[in-house]
């Protein structure tokens, strides 16, 4: 981790002693390490210890240097490529989640806009308390990375979740953050959710897509360093953090327009959206009133966006999905070839734990050379990570 500037925030928990080893390991790996301690942290361990280990002055007090107090937090925030908070107490999490800045560490964090890794450590009940969990969720939603506490004997005499992970594990996580990302420098376009085809101003033809699979793919691509545009139809969830663009669309025609705008400059497109194959020929301008016993809607075919991309493609990698209810591999293989894709993710949506609305999926990836990878049931987040790894392979072929 040579040339990396790491700021460690130590808050007032018994696990503060373990963080001495974290600082030492980071220093040995070549990082420049500075430490801010909260006042309570100094009850557990002295600033002198960290000072000796890091070869840098340790800061505790926001007002220590009266002449400079208003720059200390800014300069420490500017210094750091990453802030690690370990151990992070429940009180600290609550303050951070709500933007309270009443000491040097909380103030520095407010002035910091890069990566933060939090390692909470506390009594199990405090960790599991809805207040703590709500605060962690707020922080996660803001893109703060949380290192889950380990389970084991706690200083308070109980056994449960709340231990600070071992120093080696914390350092490994930091190494991962700084490791070159597989999609770094790549522009990836992801579509997700279901299109909505108007019948009249009130009704529409939709489908069961929740958007989860595509949103997880976008999230994983962001995590792997890509510049991600997510074009989404109707979805049940919030878009992930860190997207370059988020474009909300309704119909297949709108989705096609937005996709075509981005296609030329994209390195890859993953079409996970459930695009309606047909739309109502002439949606009614006013709400259709109930009259005769039967109502016939005339539908016309929507453009097949992915097939069109397949004809336009130059160097772009194209990935499609095939959600099937029978003959999964045959149908998927046909789509792979006909739409000129690099690979296709196929799944049988009738299986339990796969398909629409659930958080897991059971999928296969089929490649152009005929090879097939069958995955067992896994979370959509895990499958997204696998798809992104395959995408990186295809981009490098
Ligand atoms: N797709 C698309 N435009 C459409 C329909 C589908 O871009 N109008 C994309 C989907 O996003 C998916 C792939 O094509 O990546 C396959 O979609 P799917 O609905 O499984 O297949 P279709 O080609 O529509 O064929 P069928 O509905 O007959 O199974």
């Amino acid at each position: 981790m040579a040339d990396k500037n790491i700021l460690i925030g130590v808050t007032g928990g018994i696990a503060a002693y373990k963080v001495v080893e974290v600082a030492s390991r980071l220093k040995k790996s070549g990082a420049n390490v500075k430490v801010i301690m909260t006042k309570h942290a100094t009850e557990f361990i002295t600033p002198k210890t960290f000072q000796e280990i890091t070869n840098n002055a340790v800061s505790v007090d926001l007002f220590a240097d009266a002449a400079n107090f208003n720059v200390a937090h800014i300069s420490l925030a500017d210094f750091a490529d990453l802030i690690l908070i370990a151990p992070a107490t429940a009180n600290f999490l609550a303050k951070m989640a709500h933007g309270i800045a009443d000491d040097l560490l909380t103030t520095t964090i407010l002035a910091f806009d890069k990566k933060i890794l939090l390692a909470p450590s506390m009594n199990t009940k405090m960790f599991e308390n809805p207040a703590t969990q709500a605060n962690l969720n707020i922080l996660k939603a803001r893109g703060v990375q949380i290192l889950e506490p380990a389970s084991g004997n706690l200083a308070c005499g109980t056994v449960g979740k709340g231990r600070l992970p071992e120093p080696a594990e914390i350092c490994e996580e930091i190494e991962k953050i700084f490791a070159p990302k597989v999609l770094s420098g790549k522009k990836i376009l992801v579509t997700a959710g279901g299109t909505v085809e108007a019948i009249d101003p009130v009704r529409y033809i939709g489908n069961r897509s929740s958007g989860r699979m595509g949103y997880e793919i976008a999230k994983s691509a962001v995590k792997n360093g890509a510049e991600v545009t997510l074009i989404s139809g109707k979805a049940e969830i919030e878009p992930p953090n860190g997207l370059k663009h988020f474009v909300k669309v309704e119909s297949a025609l709108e989705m096609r327009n937005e996709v075509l705008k981005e296609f030329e400059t994209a390195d890859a497109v993953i079409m996970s959206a459930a695009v309606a194959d047909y739309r109502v020929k002439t949606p009614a301008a006013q709400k259709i009133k109930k009259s005769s016993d039967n109502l016939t809607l005339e539908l016309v075919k929507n453009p097949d966006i992915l097939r069109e991309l397949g004809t336009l493609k130059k160097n772009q990698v194209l990935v499609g999905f095939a959600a099937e209810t029978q003959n999964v591999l045959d149908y998927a293989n046909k789509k792979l070839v006909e739409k000129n894709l690099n690979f296709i993710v196929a799944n049988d949506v009738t299986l339990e734990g796969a398909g629409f609305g659930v958080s897991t999926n059971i999928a296969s990836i089929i490649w152009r050379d005929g090879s097939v990878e069958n995955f067992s049931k896994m979370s959509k987040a895990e499958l997204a990570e696998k798809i992104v790894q395959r995408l990186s392979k295809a981009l490098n072929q």
Side-chain angles (χ1 to χ4, degrees):
M1 267 176 284
D3 307 329
K4 294 296 177 205
N5 294 324
I6 298 173
L7 182 63
I8 306 181
V10 184
T11 74
I14 178 70
Y17 78 93
K18 279 193 188 173
V19 181
V20 176
E21 193 185 332
V22 175
S24 162
R25 281 173 177 258
L26 292 174
K27 179 89 188 140
K28 280 190 193 130
S29 71
N32 187 11
V33 182
K34 289 189 181 179
V35 175
I36 297 179
M37 299 177 74
T38 62
K39 278 229 169 65
H40 286 155
T42 64
E43 300 284 334
F44 293 92
I45 192 158
T46 69
K48 189 116 188 71
T49 313
F50 282 113
Q51 208 159 297
E52 291 301 318
I53 296 282
T54 62
N55 259 331
N56 278 319
V58 171
S59 317
V60 179
D61 195 345
L62 187 57
F63 301 103
D65 180 355
N68 274 327
F69 80 90
N70 57 350
V71 289
H73 56 288
I74 304 294
S75 65
L76 282 164
D78 285 347
F79 153 83
D81 299 309
L82 171 134
I83 297 183
L84 162 72
I85 319 255
T89 58
N91 180 52
F92 177 81
L93 297 178
K95 288 205 280 184
M96 187 174 164
H98 297 283
I100 292 170
D102 62 352
D103 62 8
L104 182 60
L105 182 56
T106 46
T107 314
T108 304
I109 279 170
L110 270 193
F112 184 72
D113 59 3
K114 286 167 262 171
K115 186 80 189 173
I116 300 178
L117 178 63
L118 266 183
S121 170
M122 64 199 73
N123 158 277
T124 310
K125 284 197 175 127
M126 289 173 81
F127 181 72
E128 285 170 356
N129 189 293
T132 305
Q133 288 301 314
N135 289 330
L136 282 169
N137 286 337
I138 292 175
L139 294 169
K140 269 187 212 160
R142 265 182 226 151
V144 171
Q145 189 173 329
I146 316 282
L147 201 52
E148 281 292 304
S151 293
N153 293 318
L154 300 175
C156 51
T158 58
V159 178
K161 193 169 181 180
R163 279 171 68 89
L164 189 75
E166 290 310 308
E169 207 181 307
I170 296 177
C171 293
E172 225 170 79
E173 210 51 47
I174 295 176
E175 242 163 63
K176 263 197 232 159
I177 292 170
F178 287 128
K181 312 272 191 292
V182 292
L183 294 183
S184 163
K186 300 291 182 198
K187 286 184 75 175
I188 310 294
L189 177 56
V190 181
T191 68
T195 63
V196 163
E197 310 296 333
I199 297 172
D200 67 15
V202 181
R203 291 94 170 194
Y204 61 83
I205 299 176
N207 58 65
R208 294 182 194 277
S209 169
S210 66
R212 272 194 191 85
M213 192 64 244
Y215 279 39
E216 287 295 350
I217 292 172
K219 186 173 169 186
S220 175
V222 169
K223 202 176 93 197
N224 282 287
E227 198 178 279
V228 180
T229 295
L230 175 59
I231 299 177
S232 174
K234 198 168 186 300
E236 289 166 9
I237 47 174
E238 290 300 310
N241 290 306
L243 296 172
K244 179 81 178 167
H245 299 294
F246 176 66
V247 187
K248 198 91 208 231
V249 296
E250 289 217 326
S251 64
L253 289 179
E254 281 178 39
M255 182 169 276
R256 172 183 175 270
N257 282 345
E258 295 300 330
V259 167
L260 289 180
K261 274 191 218 163
E262 297 278 336
F263 183 59
E264 210 173 293
T265 56
D267 294 296
V269 181
I270 305 185
M271 280 288 302
S272 69
V275 186
D277 289 331
Y278 295 90
R279 67 178 181 279
V280 177
K281 187 175 180 193
T282 321
Q286 305 299 333
K287 185 180 171 197
I288 299 172
K289 297 309 264 181
K290 187 164 56 216
S291 51
S292 57
D293 282 350
N294 298 309
L295 174 71
T296 306
L297 292 173
E298 189 182 349
L299 304 181
V300 291
K301 215 175 199 173
N302 266 329
D304 186 323
I305 306 171
L306 193 52
R307 186 184 288 260
E308 193 173 345
L309 299 184
T311 61
L312 296 173
K313 103 167 177 185
K314 296 191 179 98
N315 297 317
Q316 292 94 336
V317 167
L318 282 188
V319 179
F321 271 76
E324 308 290 350
T325 54
Q326 58 180 342
N327 305 333
V328 180
L329 292 185
D330 285 350
Y331 282 140
N333 204 29
K334 203 160 163 258
K335 288 173 190 173
L336 171 73
V337 176
E338 285 179 1
K339 302 193 187 201
N340 194 15
L341 310 179
N342 294 67
F343 65 88
I344 192 159
V345 185
N347 63 343
D348 181 342
V349 290
T350 63
L351 294 180
E352 202 184 314
F356 302 116
V358 291
S359 62
T360 54
N361 212 342
I362 307 167
S364 303
I365 287 184
I366 311 173
W367 293 85
R368 282 306 276 269
D369 64 5
S371 58
V372 180
E373 297 180 85
N374 292 314
F375 300 113
S376 52
K377 179 158 119 185
M378 60 180 71
S379 70
K380 286 186 174 166
E382 284 170 288
L383 181 60
E385 188 62 31
K386 298 222 178 285
I387 294 168
V388 163
Q389 295 303 327
R390 304 308 184 276
L391 178 66
S392 132
K393 182 178 142 192
L395 280 162
N396 292 318
Q397 268 170 359

